Amino acid sequence: MDTAQFGKETSRTGEWVRQANRFTDRITADGSSGHRAEPGRYRLVVSLSCPWAHRSIIVRRLLGLDDAISMAVVDPIRDERGWRFTLDPDGRDPVLGIEYLSEAYLAGDPSYSGRVTVPSIVDTHTGKVITNDYPRITLDLSTEWREFHRSDAPDLYPEHLREEIDAVNDPVFRNVNNGVYRCGFATSQEAYEAAYGDLFAELDRLSERLENRRYLVGDTITEADVRLFTTLVRFDAVYHGHFKCNRNKLSEMPVLWAYARDLFQTPGFGETVDFDHIKRHYYVTHEKINPTGIVPAGPDPSGWHTPHGRS
């Protein structure tokens, strides 16, 4: 999700409001949506800096969909035209042949004038964006792409736990995933303090929930853990200082810190984290928050590899 132009999304009371997803078509197993799950047909476009895109990177890796769905990584630094493929030779995505993700947006909707966001899934046959609906993307990877999962893939959205997973995800999205943005992009003291209160109240509730259980729902990793992890892994590097979420660092919250390290050290999680991309995106592109563009040298990431004691 792009977060550069936050000033256009604040309410009269100074509260930041997230832009709705424009492309919400689904890719389904039977193709009833108009888009059938088909290996090699679609390209997942992500930024390694973005927590919303990071969810899809982790889920794709956990399910073994790397060969079925190719992945493009954009430059963590946007310019005036948005997410760009400057990490690739000649500044073009080698599969889609485009320089900017916005080109795929305009192929799908020539009148589109909103922000271009990641993750996005693009149809390689048409060059059009199918979906940028980040909550649905990961759920569909778990359910609609099951035929192409590796044989030992985890069930991240088991049917008998879906109601509980959804119930956990709702306040986590509102108060934590989106809550850190509500803190960082607030333009009034009242809006900031309300978001700050919601954030840390939810983190306290999550600490209590996880004190005597390894994962958020059930006995194995689920979609709920993936969604929380991508915010927690960015907390000390970005949100604590840059977004003023500074009651505590993650490393000062013992239960959540151990839980996050447990996930980080699980195959499919830690190797997908790029702290360089994360820090450069947030500290360089948010000019209203960090006008100097200076990227902090810390924190030391070695702590993520220390024993977590939760197994």
Side-chain angles (χ1 to χ4, degrees):
M1 175 69 67
D2 166 45
T3 55
Q5 300 178 35
F6 65 90
K8 297 180 180 179
E9 295 181 292
T10 50
S11 70
R12 283 189 232 175
T13 59
E15 183 174 357
W16 185 72
V17 180
R18 183 169 294 281
Q19 173 184 284
N21 297 315
R22 163 63 183 83
F23 297 94
T24 57
D25 284 358
R26 295 176 61 191
I27 301 167
T28 53
D30 62 4
S32 58
S33 62
H35 308 284
R36 182 186 296 275
E38 176 186 334
R41 176 72 184 262
Y42 305 99
R43 190 150 174 82
L44 174 66
V45 181
V46 301
S47 166
L48 301 181
S49 65
C50 170
W52 316 99
H54 194 183
R55 298 177 179 185
S56 61
I57 299 171
I58 292 172
V59 169
R60 173 179 174 269
R61 180 68 59 86
L62 291 175
L63 298 179
L65 290 170
D66 302 58
D67 292 334
I69 306 171
S70 67
M71 188 172 78
V73 178
V74 295
D75 194 305
I77 308 301
R78 296 167 39 95
D79 66 15
E80 65 279 359
R81 291 181 58 187
W83 296 111
R84 50 191 185 154
F85 294 102
T86 49
L87 302 180
D88 294 301
D90 301 319
R92 287 185 179 274
D93 179 78
V95 174
L96 301 173
I98 57 177
E99 297 179 274
Y100 290 86
L101 179 56
S102 59
E103 295 173 56
Y105 272 62
L106 293 173
D109 178 1
S111 66
Y112 185 74
S113 60
R115 286 186 298 105
V116 173
T117 65
V118 288
S120 291
I121 295 182
V122 181
D123 185 338
T124 62
H125 291 194
T126 66
K128 298 178 181 180
V129 172
I130 302 299
T131 177
N132 70 335
D133 189 4
Y134 59 90
R136 191 71 245 176
I137 285 174
T138 48
L139 296 181
D140 283 348
L141 291 179
S142 286
T143 57
E144 302 297 331
W145 287 81
R146 194 178 298 274
E147 178 184 353
F148 309 106
H149 292 181
R150 70 166 191 264
S151 59
D152 60 345
D155 189 349
L156 299 177
Y157 198 49
E159 196 162 352
H160 69 288
L161 292 177
R162 288 179 189 177
E163 186 174 346
E164 185 177 359
I165 291 171
D166 293 345
V168 168
N169 284 344
D170 182 61
V172 167
F173 168 78
R174 182 174 59 253
N175 300 321
V176 180
N177 302 144
N178 202 48
V180 293
Y181 289 90
R182 290 171 51 218
C183 289
F185 294 158
T187 56
S188 74
Q189 189 70 32
E190 294 75 16
Y192 162 71
E193 291 184 7
Y196 178 99
D198 291 343
L199 167 64
F200 284 100
E202 190 64 38
L203 290 177
D204 289 343
R205 284 190 288 269
L206 290 165
S207 291
E208 291 178 13
R209 183 180 182 91
L210 289 163
E211 192 164 7
N212 297 305
R213 58 193 302 164
R214 190 172 183 185
Y215 303 115
L216 282 171
V217 181
D219 299 323
T220 59
I221 290 168
T222 67
E223 174 82 13
D225 299 298
V226 174
R227 293 189 181 195
L228 179 57
F229 174 79
T230 60
T231 296
L232 294 183
V233 79
R234 288 161 173 76
F235 202 90
D236 289 2
V238 175
Y239 304 140
H240 177 269
H242 187 59
F243 278 1
K244 308 178 186 71
C245 302
N246 59 358
R247 191 195 74 178
N248 306 99
K249 295 177 181 177
L250 175 66
S251 58
E252 296 168 345
M253 295 181 271
V255 172
L256 289 178
W257 176 223
Y259 164 79
R261 296 199 319 278
D262 185 5
L263 293 175
F264 185 93
Q265 294 168 31
T266 298
F269 284 83
E271 70 266 26
T272 67
V273 176
D274 191 313
F275 286 115
D276 172 62
H277 276 224
I278 289 168
K279 291 195 296 184
R280 282 197 291 128
H281 170 71
Y282 282 91
Y283 286 100
V284 174
T285 63
H286 300 158
E287 295 178 359
K288 291 186 179 180
I289 298 177
N290 187 37
T292 64
I294 293 173
V295 179
D300 181 357
S302 64
W304 284 98
H305 300 279
T306 58
H308 53 77
R310 288 182 61 83
S311 56

